[in-house]
Amino acid sequence: MNIGIDFGTSYSAAATFVGDELTLIHFGEARQFRTAVFFPEVVPDPNDFQLTPELDAQVEAHIRSARAQQRQFAMEAQQRGGAFVERSDSELRRDALRTVRRQWMERRAAESPTATVESFQHALFGDEAVEAYLEYGDGNLIESPKSMLGYRLDPQVRKVIVHIATHILEHIRLAASRQLGEAVRTAVIGRPVHFRSSMGEKGSEQAVEILREAAAVAGFDAVSFLEEPAAAAMHYHKRLTTRQAALIVDIGGGTTDVAFAELGGDELPRIVHTWGLAKGGTDLDINLSMHSFMPQLGNNVTRVPVHHFVEAASVHNLPKQREFRRQDYRMVDEPWQSRLRALQQPGATTRLNQTAERSKITLSAVDDTHADLGFLEPGLGVGIARADMDEAVEPFIHRMQRLLAEVREEWPGVPASVFLTGGTSRSPIVKAAVRDSFPGIPMVEGDPSLGVVSGLAVAAAEAATATV
Ligand SMILES: Nc1ncnc2c1ncn2[C@@H]1O[C@H](COP(=O)(O)OP(=O)(O)OP(=O)(O)O)[C@@H](O)[C@H]1O
Ligand SMILES: [Mg+2]
């Protein structure tokens, strides 16, 4: 049985066709789960590395052998009549330190149970993962691992990320196999047009590679990838009885993806062009947090540089989080000092981010809300009005409209409809911005959560028929 998997930044889901029936895989009672994993063991952190006498002796040994090698090279160069540029002692020392630290990390990882996939047996998923982390305040919570796949990763971190992706894909495969009553071994996995990346297109290539590796370890014999807006197009195609050009806009948690396609009728769907922006709902949470919460923690009031607050708000960026936790705020005036130090406690940035996301979601339905920040200081809270939200998310809206303007410039013709999906499309501000970008074109609202996974199920069913 071939299934479609939507490995989302915020939520993951899976679906397939049983006969003609679209069947969503259930995870407990739910049809999707928050893409978060909690595991209690500690992953080696390079910052825990300390030069013990034993490790120092290893550094010295590396320096000695590098020096001997240098002498050898210098001699050979002299014999050939060439020149050899010697490296300074401090350079040799830096290299030796780096090697010893890497070997230390590898040893720790090998000793640590988290280094093996089996050890993730105690992992928790979804909201349960977030809750366990907040309750224990220890261990590792990895939220939105998809956001990390396209970043420059050192080999050790890459290994951990592959394990996490493996675990999520295995969780999905096992749930699907149980529900469908047969072993699921193939899948079509959705991917954004551009992953969030620090290396441009290379980041997207790395992300797909990681997912491929993870899928193999998770027990899939074969997987293929389909761009998420193309998947949503496959779903919309099924709803259209007559042929038309359509624009698909999927605004998710991590990315905003667009496809221009010819859909409907008896012919096969044809994806003409896709566009992508590596920004989504998680950026809105950071925007709102910076706008409404961080002034309560001293942003723009104290001399704490603004980047500290950005680091605290960026919960999906582990190096930034670590950086924030390492700061010393004992010199900051009260009340900000205590609030900042409370925010450095385990789980507090996650809680602040959750509060930002919840406030954002509430403000999609009502005009103002009250955010409780009592976990930072008893009684602390802040009122947020729709106008604050408008102001906070302005940078995202502006960037998204720029993407949509590009789409308009590059599309081959005016589409008959704009099909809107993705969780962030629930926001009235975002929806209005999309409508303003395409005046006069009817907008069709799909299921914000299930458009992509439903289309992936269509693609999975077609691929299965094609290979029978
Ligand atoms: N009512 C709402 N108003 C505004 N945003 C919302 C609302 N409901 C959910 N969201 C946001 O939608 C996002 C999740 O959307 P979705 O499930 O489409 O993302 P995803 O598929 O996990 O991410 P991606 O496709 O980018 O990898 C989250 O940022 C969530 O906060
Ligand atoms: Mg999505």
Side-chain angles (χ1 to χ4, degrees):
M1 174 90 57
N2 203 17
I3 62 167
I5 297 179
D6 181 6
F7 181 80
T9 308
S10 305
Y11 294 95
S12 292
T16 191
F17 274 85
V18 177
D20 284 343
E21 191 94 10
L22 174 71
T23 305
L24 288 152
I25 303 305
H26 283 74
F27 303 93
E29 297 287 292
R31 299 184 301 179
Q32 56 176 15
F33 64 93
R34 196 161 257 280
T35 318
V37 194
F38 169 79
F39 49 101
E41 297 91 348
V42 175
V43 175
D45 178 343
N47 297 309
D48 290 342
F49 176 79
Q50 275 183 353
L51 211 49
T52 58
E54 187 198 339
L55 292 172
D56 198 29
Q58 288 177 19
V59 172
E60 290 304 326
H62 275 286
I63 297 176
R64 273 199 303 279
S65 99
R67 266 201 211 113
Q69 203 178 36
Q70 251 194 182
R71 273 199 299 277
Q72 173 81 22
F73 286 159
M75 221 158 65
E76 284 170 13
Q78 206 179 17
Q79 279 163 3
R80 285 198 313 270
F84 176 75
V85 185
E86 278 200 23
R87 311 184 59 212
S88 70
D89 271 5
S90 68
E91 280 174 312
L92 292 179
R93 185 167 184 81
R94 204 181 50 218
D95 276 0
L97 249 176
R98 207 176 279 152
T99 308
V100 170
R101 185 192 289 128
R102 198 188 56 238
Q103 288 169 347
W104 173 86
M105 290 279 295
E106 278 164 8
R107 269 198 312 277
R108 286 271 303 236
E111 288 159 11
S112 153
T114 50
T116 65
V117 172
E118 296 76 39
S119 71
F120 280 90
Q121 274 162 358
H122 303 297
L124 292 171
F125 296 92
D127 287 326
E128 238 186 306
V130 182
E131 277 154 29
Y133 175 65
L134 292 178
E135 196 173 314
Y136 302 131
D138 209 351
N140 291 274
L141 174 73
I142 310 291
E143 271 195 281
S144 308
K146 185 179 179 182
S147 293
M148 300 173 206
L149 303 179
Y151 279 75
R152 222 174 276 285
L153 305 170
D154 69 49
Q156 186 53 36
V157 177
R158 187 184 191 281
K159 210 166 129 193
V160 173
I161 305 255
V162 171
H163 284 324
I164 290 159
T166 299
H167 221 55
I168 291 168
L169 292 173
E170 189 178 44
H171 182 58
I172 294 173
R173 195 180 73 76
L174 295 179
S177 301
R178 258 195 312 272
Q179 183 176 330
L180 300 170
E182 64 178 275
V184 170
R185 299 235 168 256
T186 54
V188 180
I189 304 177
R191 56 155 295 179
V193 176
H194 303 296
F195 278 85
R196 291 169 84 99
S197 159
S198 60
M199 310 183 274
E201 255 335 274
K202 277 227 156 347
S204 286
E205 284 163 27
Q206 171 180 288
V208 168
E209 226 173 77
I210 290 177
L211 288 175
R212 232 182 244 293
E213 263 177 57
V217 187
F220 286 97
D221 296 334
V223 292
S224 59
F225 290 87
L226 180 65
E227 286 182 339
E228 286 151 12
M234 305 277 273
H235 166 64
Y236 187 40
H237 165 77
K238 289 264 173 195
R239 289 176 44 175
L240 297 172
T241 45
T242 53
R243 195 75 172 167
Q244 64 162 248
L247 194 75
I248 314 299
V249 181
D250 168 23
I251 314 172
T255 60
T256 298
D257 296 274
V258 182
F260 186 96
E262 284 163 15
L263 306 172
D266 296 330
E267 289 168 67
L268 290 174
R270 192 168 88 85
I271 309 300
V272 181
H273 199 75
T274 57
W275 296 263
L277 168 68
K279 290 206 176 303
T282 50
D283 297 289
L284 299 189
D285 305 336
I286 296 177
N287 287 346
L288 185 61
S289 185
M290 287 301 293
H291 180 278
S292 296
F293 300 163
M294 293 309 180
Q296 302 292 324
L297 285 125
N299 189 23
N300 291 330
V301 189
T302 59
R303 273 192 286 180
V304 176
V306 72
H307 70 88
H308 288 209
F309 298 96
V310 176
E311 281 152 11
S314 305
V315 287
H316 306 123
N317 187 320
L318 299 183
K320 280 190 181 170
Q321 289 284 289
R322 209 171 279 146
E323 196 54 40
F324 168 68
R325 248 176 243 135
R326 210 184 291 147
Q327 302 296 343
D328 184 349
Y329 293 120
R330 280 174 300 184
M331 302 302 283
V332 177
D333 288 342
E334 290 293 3
W336 301 290
Q337 180 193 139
S338 300
R339 293 176 187 171
L340 279 167
R341 293 174 69 182
L343 189 59
Q344 287 178 308
Q345 295 307 306
T349 51
T350 299
R351 217 177 275 269
L352 191 73
N353 179 257
Q354 262 188 349
T355 312
E357 185 181 13
R358 283 199 196 122
S359 308
K360 170 189 79 175
I361 292 175
T362 308
L363 285 169
S364 283
V366 300
D367 284 339
D368 49 78
T369 183
H370 183 267
D372 180 359
L373 304 180
F375 59 96
L376 295 176
E377 182 186 292
L380 187 67
V382 60
I384 316 173
R386 180 72 74 80
D388 293 309
M389 184 72 189
D390 286 356
E391 209 177 293
V393 305
E394 226 289 308
F396 171 81
I397 298 290
H398 184 73
R399 190 60 197 85
M400 184 189 76
Q401 287 194 309
R402 239 173 55 210
L403 172 82
L404 300 182
E406 242 171 74
V407 168
R408 246 180 5 238
E409 269 168 33
E410 294 174 10
W411 70 23
V414 179
S417 62
V418 173
F419 179 78
L420 195 56
T421 187
T424 300
S425 73
R426 287 196 178 94
S427 155
I429 309 170
V430 172
K431 212 182 294 182
V434 176
R435 190 174 284 121
D436 288 351
S437 294
F438 305 115
I441 305 176
M443 202 158 82
V444 177
E445 291 179 30
D447 182 315
S449 301
L450 302 174
V452 170
V453 75
S454 306
L456 287 166
V458 175
E462 282 176 7
T465 330
T467 51
V468 163

